[in-house]
Amino acid sequence: MVAIYDNAGIPSIMHRFRRVTNKELFGGSDAVHPAFIIGGEVYDEIYISVYENTMINGKPYSLPLQEPVTNITMEEFAQACFSKGEGWHCLTAAEWGLLADTSLKLGTLPHGNTNCSHWHGDDKERGIIIEDSYKTLTGSGPATWTHDHTDSGVHDLCGNIWEFARGVRIRDGALWAAENNDAALPETDLTECGDGWKPITDVEGHPLYAAVEDDKITFTTYPSIHRDYCGCVWGDVRMNCDSEQLRALALFAGEEKAGCYVDSTEGEYILIRGGDWYDGGDAGVFYSYLYNPRSYANGSFGGRSAYFKKH
């Protein structure tokens, strides 16, 4: 862990991740994982908040034993992160993918607050509950609640509150993402009609869609899809394409992995991840939810900042 100070002179506790390839992480190609490619430049390291962020004077911070900020929209949270200074940004979908894929490779998928301050799999695993809430204070759970099951790992990726993963959306069934980790840049236009959105593709470059049929989700390159609402476990997700990009973003981890993907394909919806304090076995680092518009905020939505040192 390392403390990094922002332009207000207040530290955030961050975890450093060194550059890896898709091959090293999940058996993909030799390409650098997209989390380390920002604005066309390859970075040797990025830093991710160890803790879900709390808010101090309008800026988000990664600090232990705090109440995580909620009731904020994704865009409001992203702008608050950018206000911290150069290199600061809302955690991106590419960075969440790095966290999830790293946990899967290490065999340390994080537990967390999935049952009103406890982990649903073992009632002895608990955090410090916040008064008049079922949320827990940041980092107050055991080491198994981190991405690598160590005290210095990234905490609370499973349950507690949903977290924004900026840079992925679904719009009328089509899957879109920012280029590599360009969602970390304030100049990348990720408004609804912004030019920062690029189609998520299969290995041959065909755009991908999420179809919902027979209460199952299918990732497909076929644009004439059935649009509906669905919540289904990973074992029920159908893949009729091969997409390294989906794996790098941890939107698909293989049918053997448990978790839940919930999807509505009519209109535009942003990506949140991880689940909250009452999601039980659905919550987890591979839990993806694409059902809320960018204007939505409630008491279970929050996020964490990340940082890179510009070249």
Side-chain angles (χ1 to χ4, degrees), residues 120-141:
H120 70 278
D122 184 349
D123 194 56
K124 295 188 179 78
E125 291 192 22
R126 63 180 65 192
I128 300 173
I129 196 167
I130 296 169
E131 187 176 358
D132 298 323
S133 167
Y134 289 119
K135 295 179 287 189
T136 52
L137 294 176
T138 58
S140 63

Side-chain angles (χ1 to χ4, degrees), residues 220-254:
T220 178
T221 58
Y222 187 58
S224 296
I225 62 173
H226 182 253
R227 300 187 178 113
D228 201 354
Y229 167 85
C230 181
C232 78
V233 297
W234 282 110
D236 292 331
V237 175
R238 299 165 174 161
M239 289 285 291
N240 68 0
C241 60
D242 182 12
S243 174
E244 183 165 291
Q245 190 175 7
L246 281 181
R247 291 299 302 266
L249 293 169
L251 291 173
F252 188 72

Side-chain angles (χ1 to χ4, degrees), residues 48-49 52 91 96 99-100 103 110-112 145-148 154-161 163 273-275 283-286 304:
I48 293 175
S49 288
E52 292 169 331
L91 183 77
W96 187 284
L99 286 165
S103 296
H111 306 171
W145 290 19
T146 72
H147 85 285
D148 60 1
V154 178
H155 288 252
D156 299 323
L157 295 167
C158 171
N160 206 34
I161 61 170
E163 296 191 37
R273 307 208 67 168
V285 72
F286 281 96
R304 69 181 77 213

